[in-house]
Amino acid sequence: MVGMGSVNELGDYLRARRAMITPRDVGLPDGADRRVPGLRRDEVALLAGVSTDYYIRLEQGRERHPSEQVLRAIAGALRLDGAAAGHLFRLGLPVIATAAAAPTVAAELLRLMDGMRDVPAFVVGAAQDVLAANAMARELYRGFARYDNLLRMIFLDPFAREFYADWDNAARTAVGNLRASSSQFPGNERIERVVGELSVRSPAFTGLWARYEVRPRTREDKHFRHPHVGELRLHFEALAVTGAPGQHLSVYSAEPGSAGADALALLRRSAEQDSAPTGQGTPIQDTPAAEGEFRS
């Protein structure tokens, strides 16, 4: 399992990130005789203003106490954005205790989703488990065998290839988001279980996980192919639940008068026909998150 439980996770991260930067990206000559993908270790050292020997020791795990100044220089050399640089600091600097990820959804948030009758809304946890969902969200994802964990659905359910118009982007985005969550909650047992299971069962996941891209998903435009409604082009927003660390309220919406809005109206009619009498904003009680398992 790349990057989970590694004895040298900082080194793993540095190697993965420098492999994704070309000399041309940083203004260095790009010769034809290069033996490694991306930058060499001496090139990263040069760009960061540290000795090659020091950088090699850092990457090999023989230097375990870099300063914040050195990490900032390396982040700049590797062209890391805010989320990726933040992960580098968490790996390289003394660990600061973080709040544990919240496993259950507050009743107040469930009531809020009850009132969101025109848009799909659901709550995901740190490991991307679907913890609660309204009727619109259940209807949106109805083609999946299980509506339980977004990573499992994307990588292990064949329906995902039909549902996501751009499956490659959906997969890469989901893995980057899980990386960001694993950075925020290091050692989280549930995240490690999800990563372990997917690493065994999905080569596609393993390849993306090894890229070490840390990209929290907060907003984007999505294109779905629903088995009953057809094409849906929706805007996605993930809103952090401040009272529950690791939880996000995910909401899909569309511009009024757009084709996406018309598709949502169809989705609502379908959801109303199938909605359970218990209400819309209900916990997902039959998921692996609730049972403590991870299965397809």
Side-chain angles (χ1 to χ4, degrees):
M1 293 184 295
V2 179
M4 294 298 289
S6 170
V7 296
N8 183 22
E9 194 170 357
L10 176 60
D12 293 341
Y13 187 50
L14 292 174
R15 281 190 294 274
R17 299 310 302 175
R18 70 178 170 86
M20 298 176 65
I21 302 293
T22 67
R24 185 175 301 176
D25 291 335
V26 294
L28 295 175
D30 190 2
D33 60 343
R34 301 184 66 84
R35 298 180 181 179
V36 297
L39 296 177
R40 297 191 302 263
R41 289 181 293 189
D42 62 304
E43 291 171 331
V44 177
L46 174 66
L47 292 167
V50 300
S51 72
T52 299
D53 177 69
Y54 179 86
Y55 179 80
I56 290 174
R57 287 188 286 112
L58 189 64
E59 196 170 282
Q60 291 178 342
R62 294 186 289 122
E63 169 56 60
R64 296 185 177 274
H65 302 286
S67 67
E68 182 176 348
Q69 181 180 5
V70 165
L71 291 178
R72 289 190 183 280
I74 292 175
L78 295 175
R79 301 297 193 264
L80 302 183
D81 61 17
H87 185 66
L88 177 65
F89 297 146
R90 281 187 283 272
L91 292 177
L93 296 175
V95 176
I96 300 174
T98 58
T104 58
V105 181
E108 294 81 2
L109 186 53
L110 296 177
R111 288 199 297 270
L112 175 63
M113 285 194 295
D114 275 339
M116 303 174 73
R117 301 180 183 277
D118 296 322
V119 295
F122 55 100
V123 177
V124 296
Q128 297 303 288
D129 292 310
V130 181
L131 303 179
N134 68 4
M136 286 282 281
R138 293 172 187 268
E139 179 63 26
L140 176 63
Y141 290 100
R142 69 176 299 171
F144 288 91
R146 292 178 65 88
Y147 182 31
D148 53 4
N149 179 282
L150 296 180
L151 273 296
R152 187 208 67 81
M153 292 160 64
I154 290 172
F155 287 98
L156 300 183
D157 193 321
F159 177 70
R161 300 276 184 169
E162 304 173 33
F163 180 69
Y164 294 99
D166 188 346
W167 183 90
D168 289 335
N169 181 67
R172 181 177 177 178
T173 299
V175 173
N177 194 43
L178 187 65
R179 269 291 185 192
S181 190
S182 71
S183 176
Q184 183 180 1
F185 300 100
N188 179 274
E189 181 180 353
R190 177 61 186 157
I191 295 176
E192 292 184 354
R193 189 179 305 165
V194 170
V195 172
E197 183 72 13
L198 287 172
S199 296
V200 171
R201 301 183 62 187
S202 173
F205 172 85
T206 302
L208 288 172
W209 187 252
R211 291 173 63 90
Y212 237 125
E213 292 183 289
V214 182
R215 298 185 183 280
R217 184 178 70 153
T218 57
R219 61 181 60 184
E220 62 179 321
D221 293 322
K222 303 287 288 186
H223 182 190
F224 303 122
R225 299 191 185 100
H226 192 272
H228 293 262
V229 175
E231 302 278 333
L232 292 100
R233 296 181 182 273
L234 305 174
H235 180 70
F236 168 84
E237 291 279 345
L239 310 173
V241 182
T242 56
Q247 290 186 14
H248 287 80
L249 173 63
S250 301
V251 182
Y252 288 107
S253 62
E255 288 286 340
S258 67
D262 293 339
L264 281 180
L266 291 175
L267 195 71
R268 179 179 177 181
R269 284 198 288 272
S270 181
E272 288 173 344
Q273 294 173 0
D274 298 333
S275 63
T278 54
Q280 289 188 319
T282 54
I284 305 293
Q285 296 293 351
D286 58 346
T287 67
E291 299 173 0
E293 301 177 4
F294 186 70
R295 61 173 184 252
S296 60

